[in-house]
Amino acid sequence: MIDIIYLLIFICFIAPISLLFHELGHVVGAILMKASFIRLTIGIGNKLWQGTFQHVQIIIRRFFLINSLTSTIREEPFERREKIMITLMGPVFSGLLAAIFYVMYHLFFSTYILYIVFLFNIWLMIINLLPFKIGQKQSDGYTIYKLIVKHK
């Protein structure tokens, strides 16, 4: 029974919050690169909520447990290195969240949940740095790879 509770906590809280934090990394990267408009979309399906804060639009869709995307616009096109920075910030934020939970687990509370958050975010960082493409979806690593290869 306790395993089912852990699974529900993972599905309903850990995964969505970790994905949101990953996407916030892209948002921070876009802000640092002076994007004029940033759209953060969490989930698929019908829109549940939408809000705009300064030049960042956030959209949360019905099935928020899967799929997230950050898109950016700037009047002056982004340079290759700026695109790489924006793309890299998602996995960096996943790694940062993993490090925070690793420290919390080892220094404060050695609970199973903290360890799962740590492991999931390490996985999220690594899987997003691997270059792969499935259909129209591509990893951050694939985006970075294409930017580097296209340059050469």
Side-chain angles (χ1 to χ4, degrees):
M1 181 66 181
I2 194 95
D3 290 337
I4 292 172
I5 292 170
Y6 282 138
L7 181 63
L8 288 173
I9 290 170
F10 175 77
I11 290 171
C12 295
F13 297 104
I14 295 171
I17 290 169
S18 294
L19 291 171
L20 175 63
F21 200 75
H22 175 94
E23 292 304 321
L24 286 175
H26 295 303
V27 169
V28 168
I31 290 169
L32 291 173
M33 298 302 121
K34 301 190 181 356
S36 54
F37 181 77
I38 304 163
R39 176 179 290 136
L40 167 62
T41 304
I42 302 293
I44 58 174
N46 295 337
K47 225 181 274 186
L48 287 179
W49 182 84
Q50 177 177 327
T52 303
F53 306 99
Q54 295 183 354
H55 62 283
V56 179
Q57 180 185 47
I58 300 170
I59 300 170
I60 299 177
R61 299 192 176 276
R62 177 165 292 168
F63 301 107
F64 60 88
L65 300 176
I66 54 174
N67 200 31
S68 57
L69 174 70
T70 301
S71 55
T72 59
I73 299 171
R74 186 171 76 176
E75 286 81 31
E76 178 184 321
F78 290 106
E79 295 177 14
R80 182 181 60 87
R81 67 170 185 76
E82 292 173 319
K83 289 179 185 178
I84 291 171
M85 179 60 73
I86 292 168
T87 305
L88 192 58
M89 288 298 284
V92 165
F93 266 51
S94 294
L96 178 63
L97 193 59
I100 290 167
F101 277 88
Y102 180 82
V103 168
M104 286 174 58
Y105 176 79
H106 284 288
L107 294 181
F108 303 113
F109 320 101
S110 295
T111 66
Y112 185 66
I113 292 293
L114 292 180
Y115 193 65
I116 292 299
V117 175
F118 159 69
L119 289 177
F120 181 69
N121 280 282
I122 285 291
W123 175 83
L124 198 58
M125 179 185 72
I126 292 170
I127 203 73
N128 273 282
L129 287 173
L130 294 174
F132 67 89
K133 182 177 180 180
I134 300 172
Q136 296 299 323
K137 294 287 292 174
Q138 61 189 41
S139 68
D140 293 333
Y142 184 83
T143 301
I144 292 167
Y145 167 77
K146 291 303 282 182
L147 287 165
I148 291 171
V149 168
K150 187 164 67 167
H151 181 68
K152 294 181 179 195

